[in-house]
Amino acid sequence: MVLLVILGARLFQLQGLDTAGMAQAAVDKRLRTSEIPALRGEILDADNTVLARSVQRFDIVVDQRLVEDFERFNPKTKRLEQVKIDGEIKKLAGILGQDVETVTKAVVGDLPFNYVAKSVTPDIQEKVENLAFPGLQSRETTTRSYPMGQVAGSIVGFLGSDGSPLEGIEATQQDLLAGTSGERTFEIGADGIRIPVATNEETPAEDGQSVRLTLNSDLQWYAQEAIAAQVKEYGAEYGTIVAMNAKTGDIIALADSETVDPNDPGATKDGMRQSLAATRAFEPGSTTKMITMAAAIEEGITTPTTKYKIPPKYTVNNETFTDALPHGTETRTTAGIFAKSLNTGTVMIGEQLTRQQRYDYLRRFGIGEEYDIGIPGTTPGLLAAPEQWDGRQEFTVLFGQGLAQTALHTAAAYATIANGGVRMEPRLIDAYIDPDGTEHEVPREEGSRAVSNETADQVQDMLETMANQGGGLPGKVEDYRMGAKTGTAEAPSDDGGFSGYTISYAGIAPMEDPEYVVVATIQRPKGGVFSLTAGPVFKKVMGQVLSTYNVPPSDTKPVKLPLE
């Protein structure tokens, strides 16, 4: 009787006084919460071609402790039937395309959690769910794919095995691309199977924004192939191509001779997984003479047709300068000095600028400025303040030595002349796109004037003269008026000296209304430096640019300034 009284009191306590509490405790024990991953935004080219996308996938997991023979309701017979787990494991192996032994090892055991398969497609997940045997579940996830492979791989970047962004746009735009994960709460029975009519609460995920770039993926592919072929032919270390729209600053190609495939980043060696065109600084050499000439014309020191007597050697402040090829004393116009790329004549003109003016004009053209185009590792290069220049450096900066810049800097400088003397900030990200398709264009920054429109016109004439009568001939694009300048500089070695050369070719077209700039740079080509030029690869890429944007052939005669 005492025991019955105690039992009755306990039943009254549970059923009469704490009904809700015990029921809630039971529900809490059955509740499970899983993450609903946000769909990562896409990375697109200028024409909305997909460079990176995430797709819905599922991981198949199991609580091995619950895997055993079970009863399943048969809707045909309307009776519970005994089901052998071995048969269900065989069915699961067939669905997953795995052998039975592998699946058995994954499913049978004492582990509370184990992976059976990762990143399966939704149709496979549905078939697995239909098996509905104890302990087997699916968890929603996503996987990243890069349909264009190596095309713009170093710009797009890639994710690590854990889904963390490691390079490129993937890394710098992580907060916008990633979105916000959601949450799903549901109840499971003692057999580990979800109870369909019980609690089912869901907080939806907020998918990430997509990022549209200014790149043209077809041009990007072409430029990558072209520079890779030229580097291979020359036995060079590496090469880069930069193509820009001078009027907008939009980068339409940013190519390296070796580019990472984001689908398999481990196949590319360290140091070659970033955009070398925007992250590797080097002495540019004679392409910088364009800035010196623009500064001298702007300051009224010279004109394209001003004549100078050029000696074989020129000495100033006890510093002697010579030219790449020996020559006697000769008369050259400013255009002739530029077309023949004479260091001596460049120093004669440039020394009339003050130290501060030399520095200021380099800065006006973007040298020493870091361009934040949305990828990691960009650099401002090296441009010391004028008070830090030594006795020789104050003159070598006039012809591109004693300073360092990336190929992107060179392209931006030439785009400034092509754009009438107004420098536009290089631009790689065009817009952000919401999951519902709403676009948010990244505003273009206002350009900054480096030189007057009149000065830019005169420098354009000098560039065109150089392309037709100077060292620019190997890069001449048929049927188009264009301007160009070549550059050669010693490449620094790891021991502090120099090892090999850097050769460049920078050009603008069409000269009737300059719009496009291409810069080709090749590092440490093998062979005689005077017999090598980046002109051929420039010619291919600039020709492709003009064709891609349907620029009609020139119908006017090119400018040819007197050289003597």
Side-chain angles (χ1 to χ4, degrees):
M1 288 296 293
V2 171
L3 290 174
L4 287 173
V5 170
I6 293 172
L7 180 59
R10 179 61 175 159
L11 286 171
F12 176 74
Q13 179 190 23
L14 294 176
Q15 297 182 356
L17 302 179
D18 194 27
T19 305
M22 293 302 295
Q24 185 59 48
V27 170
D28 291 344
K29 190 174 182 180
R30 296 193 299 270
L31 284 178
R32 296 291 184 273
T33 299
S34 64
E35 180 186 59
I36 304 175
L39 195 64
R40 191 174 181 85
E42 296 179 331
I43 300 176
L44 311 167
D45 83 343
D47 295 323
N48 293 319
T49 300
V50 176
L51 303 175
R53 68 154 44 110
S54 290
V55 292
Q56 185 186 46
R57 291 292 183 264
F58 295 87
D59 292 336
I60 307 302
V61 300
V62 67
D63 183 342
Q64 294 178 342
R65 300 170 302 178
L66 302 175
V67 177
E68 58 184 15
D69 296 343
F70 63 102
E71 290 184 335
R72 177 188 289 153
F73 180 77
N74 188 326
K76 292 183 179 179
T77 63
K78 300 187 183 303
R79 298 175 59 184
L80 289 173
E81 297 179 352
Q82 193 71 18
V83 179
K84 293 290 186 181
I85 198 65
D86 290 346
E88 298 303 293
I89 291 176
K90 288 181 180 178
K91 292 179 183 178
L92 179 60
I95 292 170
L96 297 177
Q98 300 181 17
D99 60 81
V100 175
E101 182 180 358
T102 299
V103 175
T104 301
K105 287 181 180 179
V107 169
V108 177
D110 300 318
L111 296 175
F113 179 88
N114 194 39
Y115 282 102
V116 182
K118 291 185 177 182
S119 194
V120 302
T121 58
D123 60 322
I124 291 178
Q125 180 265 349
E126 183 178 2
K127 293 176 182 177
V128 171
E129 286 282 329
N130 289 338
L131 287 179
F133 71 71
L136 191 67
Q137 297 179 32
S138 64
R139 294 189 172 188
E140 188 175 349
T141 184
T142 61
T143 187
R144 197 70 163 164
S145 68
Y146 302 90
M148 300 293 286
Q150 288 183 314
V151 176
S154 57
I155 298 165
V156 171
F158 50 87
L159 306 181
S161 58
D162 61 353
S164 59
L166 297 181
E167 278 295 352
I169 295 293
E170 293 279 33
T172 63
Q173 307 303 305
Q174 163 69 4
D175 291 345
L176 296 172
L177 287 166
T180 304
S181 296
E183 186 175 86
R184 180 181 292 115
T185 301
F186 54 91
E187 291 184 45
I188 63 168
D191 58 3
I193 297 177
R194 181 175 175 178
I195 303 172
V197 295
T199 302
N200 183 14
E201 298 176 351
E202 184 174 300
T203 302
E206 295 180 13
D207 293 339
Q209 287 182 304
S210 294
V211 180
R212 185 171 65 221
L213 307 180
T214 59
L215 295 178
N216 180 300
S217 57
D218 290 339
L219 271 178
Q220 179 72 24
W221 172 83
Y222 187 90
Q224 287 180 199
E225 293 291 305
I227 192 62
Q230 190 77 75
V231 164
K232 182 178 180 181
E233 180 182 342
Y234 284 176
E237 183 179 340
Y238 69 90
T240 64
I241 292 284
V242 181
M244 287 179 62
N245 183 313
K247 296 180 184 295
T248 63
D250 287 356
I251 300 169
I252 55 179
L254 195 66
D256 304 318
S257 55
E258 182 176 351
T259 305
V260 64
D261 183 348
N263 296 298
D264 184 19
T268 302
K269 60 187 177 183
D270 288 342
M272 303 300 283
R273 297 174 189 160
Q274 291 185 325
S275 171
L276 305 183
T279 63
R280 293 279 182 93
F282 54 89
E283 286 194 345
S286 294
T287 53
T288 301
K289 290 173 181 173
M290 181 274 292
I291 299 176
T292 300
M293 296 304 176
I297 293 171
E298 182 78 357
E299 294 297 325
I301 291 170
T302 192
T303 70
T305 56
T306 303
K307 293 186 177 183
Y308 298 86
K309 279 191 182 255
I310 310 298
K313 297 180 181 180
Y314 183 69
T315 301
V316 55
N317 290 358
N318 296 319
E319 298 291 342
T320 299
F321 299 93
T322 59
D323 295 310
L325 297 174
H327 61 81
T329 299
E330 54 188 30
T331 299
R332 292 286 180 188
T333 62
T334 300
I337 291 170
F338 188 68
K340 299 303 181 182
S341 200
L342 301 178
N343 294 340
T344 49
T346 302
V347 172
M348 290 175 68
I349 295 171
E351 69 171 311
Q352 298 175 69
L353 297 163
T354 68
R355 276 192 176 206
Q356 191 63 48
Q357 285 176 323
R358 297 170 213 179
Y359 176 83
D360 289 344
Y361 275 98
L362 287 166
R363 293 289 296 177
R364 286 191 194 185
F365 279 86
I367 311 305
E369 177 179 331
E370 183 169 357
Y371 287 126
D372 181 10
I373 59 172
I375 58 176
T378 55
T379 174
L382 296 171
L383 178 61
E387 60 269 17
Q388 297 174 338
W389 292 345
D390 61 30
R392 188 167 184 82
Q393 187 180 13
E394 67 169 308
F395 300 107
T396 61
V397 295
L398 297 168
F399 51 84
Q401 295 180 18
L403 53 82
Q405 64 198 53
T406 67
L408 179 60
H409 284 92
T410 304
Y414 276 73
T416 300
I417 289 298
N419 193 40
V422 176
R423 177 167 64 94
M424 304 297 292
E425 288 288 309
R427 185 170 175 270
L428 181 61
I429 298 177
D430 179 57
Y432 296 100
I433 306 172
D434 294 337
D436 65 3
T438 303
E439 295 189 5
H440 308 276
E441 185 176 354
V442 176
R444 292 179 174 86
E445 294 187 20
E446 277 192 32
S448 58
R449 181 160 290 283
V451 294
S452 67
N453 191 70
E454 293 75 20
T455 294
D457 285 345
Q458 293 180 67
V459 176
Q460 287 178 21
D461 290 346
M462 292 170 63
L463 287 166
E464 188 168 14
T465 298
M466 199 276 180
N468 289 285
Q469 301 181 69
L473 284 169
K476 185 74 172 67
V477 181
E478 293 180 9
D479 299 326
Y480 289 93
R481 288 177 54 195
M482 53 162 284
K485 183 70 184 78
T486 57
T488 303
E490 291 180 301
S493 61
D494 294 336
D495 61 7
F498 292 94
S499 173
Y501 292 88
T502 302
I503 58 175
S504 300
Y505 194 107
I508 62 179
M511 297 310 291
E512 302 93 326
D513 182 18
E515 186 168 6
Y516 298 105
V517 171
V518 172
V519 173
T521 304
I522 300 174
Q523 295 290 345
R524 295 186 176 88
K526 294 179 180 176
V529 67
F530 298 117
S531 63
L532 300 177
T533 173
V537 68
F538 168 90
K539 179 178 180 178
K540 290 179 181 178
V541 176
M542 178 59 92
Q544 190 67 23
V545 168
L546 297 173
S547 174
T548 297
Y549 293 104
N550 298 314
V551 178
S554 299
D555 57 5
T556 56
K557 293 183 179 181
V559 172
K560 293 185 178 180
L561 297 172
L563 303 185
E564 299 178 353

